[in-house]
Amino acid sequence: MAFPSSSSSSSQGSYDVFLSFRGEDTRNNFTAHLYQELRTKGINTFIDDDKLERGRVISPALVTAIENSMFSIIVLSENYASSKWCLEELAKILECMKTRGQRVLPIFYNVDPSDVRNHRGKFGAALAEHEKNLTENMERVQIWKDALTQVANLSGWESRNKNEPLLIKEIVKHVLNKLLNICSGDTEKLVGIDARIQEIKMRLRLESDDVGMIGIWGMGGIGKTTLARALYNEISRQFEAHSFLEDVGKVLANEGLIKLQQIFLSSLLEEKDLNMKGLTSIKARLHSKKVLVVLDNVNDPTIFECLIGNQDWFGRGSRIIITARDKCLISHGVDYYEVPKFNSDEAYEFIKCHSLKHELLRGDFMELSTSMIGYAQGLPLALKVLRPILFSMSKEESRNQLDKLKSTLNKKIEEVLRISYDGLDDKEKNIFLDIACFFKGEDKDYVIEILDGCGFFPLCGIRSLIDKSLISIYGNKFQMHDLIQEMGLEIVRQQSLQELGKRSRLLFHEDIYDVLKKNTGSEKIEGIFLNLFHLQETIDFTTQAFAGMSKLRLLKVYQSDKISRNSEDTFMKENFKVRFSSNFKFCYDELRYLDLYGYSLKSLPNDFNAKNLVHLSMPCSRIEQLWKGIKV
């Protein structure tokens, strides 16, 4: 990756580094190696390809390259001053240092800095030759002399009596550190990032020589990759080699296992076209290196087996960081960090930091921000997606859009959240949709008994949902992020956009009323939860209306908590809003859960099949006898 230019700099850089050098001295040795090392460290470097037209005045292309670079590295070799072209580059670079704040780093390659400063030796001879040939333009020679004196007074490196590969690594490390410090301004908009990074660094124990691993875990859109990238940028310079493999699960799916291993090893060794020999190649090449590895979006245990193996594959002090939505993909015994949601202050700060000046001056900025914070429920992705949409609208339009979001989840948010759902098996999907539609906020043990009766193996299924951050349990009750629940409801809605009777679960009273009134229920329906509080008129439960629902598992007719279910006086004042036909029949072998508030008949039908029933509740009903005879 190339480092972005600093937003505080007057120069909006296209390059991180501009290389100035005398081609015949160092193009094919020192400068070539320096350039390669800069590039392999992701530092966007400009180097003259030697095809530009030469002359006394440097070309506009080079002027632009110099002006649009954050750093200039000047390789002052023996014959540097003999080139008018190099001296013009030097003068322009020092001009940019004064006017644009460009950082200038000299390298004295086999020359004495005092010879450069005092114009002695070959530098003095070259300047004397220029004075002889440019008698009509002596002011340029003086500019060059001043530039050489000035650059020799800057802090830099001498190459004499130095190991060149180590010197190059030292120079590049220095530039990389400076760039990372400059780019740290970009993390100012990463609200709450510092505290999160410090927590992970504490757990990584970077001072230890052990090989350490940590997982960064959380729901989709919570900021796992952003956090891992910020951490990587901060600590990568402490390692001999480092690699950030983004969306590694997608790479595995698209490229295959062997290619993924090649990409992994190449990124750490900075070599292309490696001849891989399976897992032994990774261990053999990396076991003595102190490396930092970030594997982003791990979604398959094969990734660990083939890239990480055992911790003895890497040198002492190595660190491995993984991000995952599924906690079970983080190896057992490995510490993990669960990325927290934004609190209200962080969410508001995020909106402020990413808003333009005219958006901050909107009269409804606070009102709109408060609405967004309430909707997002601490999910950074939701704020990131919605902020530009809502602030591009008028006050009335933004309010209307927020109302729309209550019933229709934003597509970009849904795409990110749905990845976790798509990774579930069929039984886990059923558990998730039952909780999203019917059992959010209900007692865990009570719901597990019902789900177990449905044959969904809920103990392991619920563990999977928790590990994938789709649900959580607080106070022994099922909880779910509002947007995750919205995603679940949208999945059910998408099952049949027009024909309500072909959706698997019905929970909105308008939809249920429509299906029962028109007798459009089908075998697709597995659950109906009807809240009587919202009904404005009586609804008829007829055998015909339910006849097509052969797969119905869950049926609940209930009264909102606004009216006490235990108050007989209150109940007697209520009209029966559900009217069961006198010959009503429950023709469902699949029925596991029956909860009927205000059942209007005196008994259940004689042919009622209770064989698979797990739960039966009939508060405030007129029932006198459940059924005649004995039921299994």
Side-chain angles (χ1 to χ4, degrees), residues 1-5 13-18 42-46 68-72 102-103 175 179 183:
M1 63 152 189
F3 288 89
S5 60
S14 298
Y15 298 99
D16 299 320
V17 171
F18 178 90
I43 299 172
N44 191 12
T45 306
F46 180 92
N68 289 349
S69 297
M70 298 170 67
F71 285 81
S72 280
Q102 187 176 105
R103 296 156 179 81
V175 174
L179 283 168
C183 294

mmCIF file of all heavy atoms in Angstrom, residues 1-5 13-18 42-46 68-72 102-103 175 179 183:
data_model
loop_
_atom_site.group_PDB
_atom_site.id
_atom_site.type_symbol
_atom_site.label_atom_id
_atom_site.label_comp_id
_atom_site.label_asym_id
_atom_site.label_seq_id
_atom_site.Cartn_x
_atom_site.Cartn_y
_atom_site.Cartn_z
ATOM 1 N N MET A 1 0.839 -1.187 0.000
ATOM 2 C CA MET A 1 0.000 0.000 0.000
ATOM 3 C C MET A 1 0.876 1.239 0.000
ATOM 4 O O MET A 1 1.972 1.242 0.540
ATOM 5 C CB MET A 1 -0.884 0.046 1.254
ATOM 6 C CG MET A 1 -0.098 0.136 2.540
ATOM 7 S SD MET A 1 -0.980 0.971 3.863
ATOM 8 C CE MET A 1 0.324 1.133 5.061
ATOM 9 N N ALA A 2 0.421 2.302 -0.609
ATOM 10 C CA ALA A 2 1.099 3.589 -0.550
ATOM 11 C C ALA A 2 0.495 4.384 0.587
ATOM 12 O O ALA A 2 -0.699 4.331 0.841
ATOM 13 C CB ALA A 2 0.909 4.339 -1.870
ATOM 14 N N PHE A 3 1.346 5.128 1.301
ATOM 15 C CA PHE A 3 0.840 5.911 2.407
ATOM 16 C C PHE A 3 0.120 7.138 1.868
ATOM 17 O O PHE A 3 0.592 7.792 0.958
ATOM 18 C CB PHE A 3 1.990 6.357 3.316
ATOM 19 C CG PHE A 3 2.562 5.245 4.114
ATOM 20 C CD1 PHE A 3 3.596 4.471 3.606
ATOM 21 C CD2 PHE A 3 2.052 4.949 5.356
ATOM 22 C CE1 PHE A 3 4.122 3.424 4.341
ATOM 23 C CE2 PHE A 3 2.579 3.904 6.096
ATOM 24 C CZ PHE A 3 3.613 3.150 5.587
ATOM 25 N N PRO A 4 -1.036 7.503 2.434
ATOM 26 C CA PRO A 4 -1.720 8.704 1.998
ATOM 27 C C PRO A 4 -0.972 9.930 2.459
ATOM 28 O O PRO A 4 -0.245 9.899 3.446
ATOM 29 C CB PRO A 4 -3.077 8.598 2.699
ATOM 30 C CG PRO A 4 -2.812 7.767 3.908
ATOM 31 C CD PRO A 4 -1.736 6.812 3.519
ATOM 32 N N SER A 5 -1.143 11.023 1.743
ATOM 33 C CA SER A 5 -0.466 12.249 2.129
ATOM 34 C C SER A 5 -1.106 12.817 3.381
ATOM 35 O O SER A 5 -2.276 12.598 3.669
ATOM 36 C CB SER A 5 -0.570 13.285 1.010
ATOM 37 O OG SER A 5 -1.914 13.570 0.751
ATOM 38 N N GLY A 13 0.592 15.042 -1.475
ATOM 39 C CA GLY A 13 1.575 14.241 -2.187
ATOM 40 C C GLY A 13 1.014 13.122 -3.025
ATOM 41 O O GLY A 13 0.143 12.395 -2.593
ATOM 42 N N SER A 14 1.550 12.985 -4.219
ATOM 43 C CA SER A 14 1.265 11.829 -5.053
ATOM 44 C C SER A 14 2.271 10.734 -4.771
ATOM 45 O O SER A 14 2.032 9.581 -5.104
ATOM 46 C CB SER A 14 1.333 12.219 -6.530
ATOM 47 O OG SER A 14 0.361 13.180 -6.833
ATOM 48 N N TYR A 15 3.429 11.103 -4.226
ATOM 49 C CA TYR A 15 4.486 10.140 -3.897
ATOM 50 C C TYR A 15 4.873 10.308 -2.445
ATOM 51 O O TYR A 15 4.807 11.398 -1.875
ATOM 52 C CB TYR A 15 5.725 10.361 -4.785
ATOM 53 C CG TYR A 15 5.459 10.173 -6.253
ATOM 54 C CD1 TYR A 15 5.229 11.275 -7.079
ATOM 55 C CD2 TYR A 15 5.412 8.903 -6.815
ATOM 56 C CE1 TYR A 15 4.964 11.111 -8.426
ATOM 57 C CE2 TYR A 15 5.141 8.729 -8.161
ATOM 58 C CZ TYR A 15 4.922 9.836 -8.962
ATOM 59 O OH TYR A 15 4.646 9.665 -10.301
ATOM 60 N N ASP A 16 5.308 9.209 -1.865
ATOM 61 C CA ASP A 16 5.875 9.296 -0.525
ATOM 62 C C ASP A 16 7.308 9.811 -0.597
ATOM 63 O O ASP A 16 7.718 10.634 0.222
ATOM 64 C CB ASP A 16 5.862 7.917 0.148
ATOM 65 C CG ASP A 16 4.448 7.369 0.311
ATOM 66 O OD1 ASP A 16 3.556 8.169 0.638
ATOM 67 O OD2 ASP A 16 4.247 6.167 0.099
ATOM 68 N N VAL A 17 8.057 9.321 -1.590
ATOM 69 C CA VAL A 17 9.490 9.642 -1.665
ATOM 70 C C VAL A 17 9.892 9.956 -3.111
ATOM 71 O O VAL A 17 9.467 9.262 -4.046
ATOM 72 C CB VAL A 17 10.350 8.454 -1.144
ATOM 73 C CG1 VAL A 17 11.836 8.677 -1.420
ATOM 74 C CG2 VAL A 17 10.112 8.240 0.345
ATOM 75 N N PHE A 18 10.706 11.005 -3.270
ATOM 76 C CA PHE A 18 11.364 11.302 -4.546
ATOM 77 C C PHE A 18 12.850 10.976 -4.381
ATOM 78 O O PHE A 18 13.493 11.430 -3.429
ATOM 79 C CB PHE A 18 11.201 12.778 -4.914
ATOM 80 C CG PHE A 18 11.893 13.169 -6.195
ATOM 81 C CD1 PHE A 18 11.236 13.089 -7.404
ATOM 82 C CD2 PHE A 18 13.221 13.610 -6.181
ATOM 83 C CE1 PHE A 18 11.875 13.438 -8.595
ATOM 84 C CE2 PHE A 18 13.867 13.959 -7.357
ATOM 85 C CZ PHE A 18 13.194 13.872 -8.562
ATOM 86 N N GLY A 42 6.034 -0.859 0.823
ATOM 87 C CA GLY A 42 4.800 -0.151 0.517
ATOM 88 C C GLY A 42 4.957 1.351 0.430
ATOM 89 O O GLY A 42 3.967 2.080 0.520
ATOM 90 N N ILE A 43 6.178 1.823 0.250
ATOM 91 C CA ILE A 43 6.438 3.266 0.173
ATOM 92 C C ILE A 43 6.439 3.677 -1.296
ATOM 93 O O ILE A 43 7.287 3.228 -2.076
ATOM 94 C CB ILE A 43 7.778 3.616 0.860
ATOM 95 C CG1 ILE A 43 7.721 3.219 2.343
ATOM 96 C CG2 ILE A 43 8.085 5.094 0.708
ATOM 97 C CD1 ILE A 43 9.037 3.346 3.072
ATOM 98 N N ASN A 44 5.481 4.510 -1.666
ATOM 99 C CA ASN A 44 5.305 4.931 -3.058
ATOM 100 C C ASN A 44 6.444 5.877 -3.450
ATOM 101 O O ASN A 44 6.505 7.017 -2.988
ATOM 102 C CB ASN A 44 3.946 5.612 -3.221
ATOM 103 C CG ASN A 44 3.588 5.842 -4.675
ATOM 104 O OD1 ASN A 44 4.227 5.306 -5.573
ATOM 105 N ND2 ASN A 44 2.567 6.653 -4.900
ATOM 106 N N THR A 45 7.354 5.400 -4.296
ATOM 107 C CA THR A 45 8.609 6.108 -4.574
ATOM 108 C C THR A 45 8.722 6.470 -6.047
ATOM 109 O O THR A 45 8.487 5.634 -6.923
ATOM 110 C CB THR A 45 9.815 5.232 -4.166
ATOM 111 O OG1 THR A 45 9.665 4.837 -2.804
ATOM 112 C CG2 THR A 45 11.120 5.988 -4.346
ATOM 113 N N PHE A 46 9.107 7.740 -6.305
ATOM 114 C CA PHE A 46 9.368 8.175 -7.687
ATOM 115 C C PHE A 46 10.861 8.033 -7.980
ATOM 116 O O PHE A 46 11.703 8.497 -7.214
ATOM 117 C CB PHE A 46 8.960 9.627 -7.901
ATOM 118 C CG PHE A 46 9.213 10.115 -9.311
ATOM 119 C CD1 PHE A 46 8.229 10.021 -10.277
ATOM 120 C CD2 PHE A 46 10.450 10.640 -9.683
ATOM 121 C CE1 PHE A 46 8.454 10.448 -11.581
ATOM 122 C CE2 PHE A 46 10.698 11.067 -10.978
ATOM 123 C CZ PHE A 46 9.694 10.965 -11.930
ATOM 124 N N ASN A 68 5.166 17.034 -5.532
ATOM 125 C CA ASN A 68 4.120 16.140 -5.030
ATOM 126 C C ASN A 68 4.676 14.963 -4.243
ATOM 127 O O ASN A 68 4.065 13.895 -4.211
ATOM 128 C CB ASN A 68 3.271 15.626 -6.194
ATOM 129 C CG ASN A 68 2.394 16.714 -6.776
ATOM 130 O OD1 ASN A 68 2.276 17.780 -6.200
ATOM 131 N ND2 ASN A 68 1.792 16.450 -7.908
ATOM 132 N N SER A 69 5.825 15.142 -3.614
ATOM 133 C CA SER A 69 6.412 14.106 -2.763
ATOM 134 C C SER A 69 6.524 14.615 -1.337
ATOM 135 O O SER A 69 6.771 15.797 -1.102
ATOM 136 C CB SER A 69 7.798 13.696 -3.284
ATOM 137 O OG SER A 69 7.700 13.116 -4.568
ATOM 138 N N MET A 70 6.341 13.727 -0.397
ATOM 139 C CA MET A 70 6.440 14.100 1.014
ATOM 140 C C MET A 70 7.885 14.118 1.493
ATOM 141 O O MET A 70 8.244 14.909 2.366
ATOM 142 C CB MET A 70 5.624 13.117 1.860
ATOM 143 C CG MET A 70 4.137 13.135 1.526
ATOM 144 S SD MET A 70 3.239 11.792 2.323
ATOM 145 C CE MET A 70 3.387 12.264 4.036
ATOM 146 N N PHE A 71 8.711 13.228 0.923
ATOM 147 C CA PHE A 71 10.130 13.148 1.267
ATOM 148 C C PHE A 71 10.952 13.210 -0.014
ATOM 149 O O PHE A 71 10.498 12.756 -1.073
ATOM 150 C CB PHE A 71 10.458 11.816 1.969
ATOM 151 C CG PHE A 71 10.011 11.735 3.383
ATOM 152 C CD1 PHE A 71 8.694 11.429 3.693
ATOM 153 C CD2 PHE A 71 10.902 11.956 4.433
ATOM 154 C CE1 PHE A 71 8.276 11.342 4.998
ATOM 155 C CE2 PHE A 71 10.485 11.865 5.745
ATOM 156 C CZ PHE A 71 9.163 11.561 6.030
ATOM 157 N N SER A 72 12.150 13.734 0.089
ATOM 158 C CA SER A 72 13.159 13.589 -0.964
ATOM 159 C C SER A 72 14.401 12.974 -0.343
ATOM 160 O O SER A 72 14.892 13.433 0.691
ATOM 161 C CB SER A 72 13.511 14.926 -1.602
ATOM 162 O OG SER A 72 12.539 15.296 -2.554
ATOM 163 N N GLN A 102 8.591 20.045 2.793
ATOM 164 C CA GLN A 102 9.052 18.717 2.399
ATOM 165 C C GLN A 102 10.232 18.286 3.269
ATOM 166 O O GLN A 102 11.082 19.099 3.622
ATOM 167 C CB GLN A 102 9.467 18.729 0.927
ATOM 168 C CG GLN A 102 9.795 17.348 0.383
ATOM 169 C CD GLN A 102 10.120 17.376 -1.098
ATOM 170 O OE1 GLN A 102 11.286 17.260 -1.469
ATOM 171 N NE2 GLN A 102 9.113 17.561 -1.937
ATOM 172 N N ARG A 103 10.305 17.017 3.563
ATOM 173 C CA ARG A 103 11.382 16.480 4.391
ATOM 174 C C ARG A 103 12.500 15.982 3.478
ATOM 175 O O ARG A 103 12.235 15.213 2.546
ATOM 176 C CB ARG A 103 10.845 15.351 5.281
ATOM 177 C CG ARG A 103 9.806 15.837 6.281
ATOM 178 C CD ARG A 103 8.896 14.713 6.718
ATOM 179 N NE ARG A 103 7.906 15.152 7.681
ATOM 180 C CZ ARG A 103 6.764 15.775 7.369
ATOM 181 N NH1 ARG A 103 6.474 16.024 6.101
ATOM 182 N NH2 ARG A 103 5.912 16.138 8.309
ATOM 183 N N VAL A 175 12.386 6.187 7.208
ATOM 184 C CA VAL A 175 11.348 6.797 6.366
ATOM 185 C C VAL A 175 9.978 6.217 6.728
ATOM 186 O O VAL A 175 8.986 6.959 6.839
ATOM 187 C CB VAL A 175 11.651 6.562 4.868
ATOM 188 C CG1 VAL A 175 10.500 7.071 4.002
ATOM 189 C CG2 VAL A 175 12.946 7.251 4.479
ATOM 190 N N LEU A 179 6.717 8.246 8.004
ATOM 191 C CA LEU A 179 5.456 8.194 7.270
ATOM 192 C C LEU A 179 4.314 7.736 8.166
ATOM 193 O O LEU A 179 3.199 8.272 8.102
ATOM 194 C CB LEU A 179 5.571 7.245 6.067
ATOM 195 C CG LEU A 179 6.321 7.800 4.861
ATOM 196 C CD1 LEU A 179 6.620 6.673 3.873
ATOM 197 C CD2 LEU A 179 5.507 8.888 4.168
ATOM 198 N N CYS A 183 1.046 9.766 8.936
ATOM 199 C CA CYS A 183 -0.259 9.182 8.621
ATOM 200 C C CYS A 183 -1.092 8.945 9.867
ATOM 201 O O CYS A 183 -2.273 8.623 9.753
ATOM 202 C CB CYS A 183 -0.089 7.868 7.872
ATOM 203 S SG CYS A 183 0.641 8.099 6.240
#
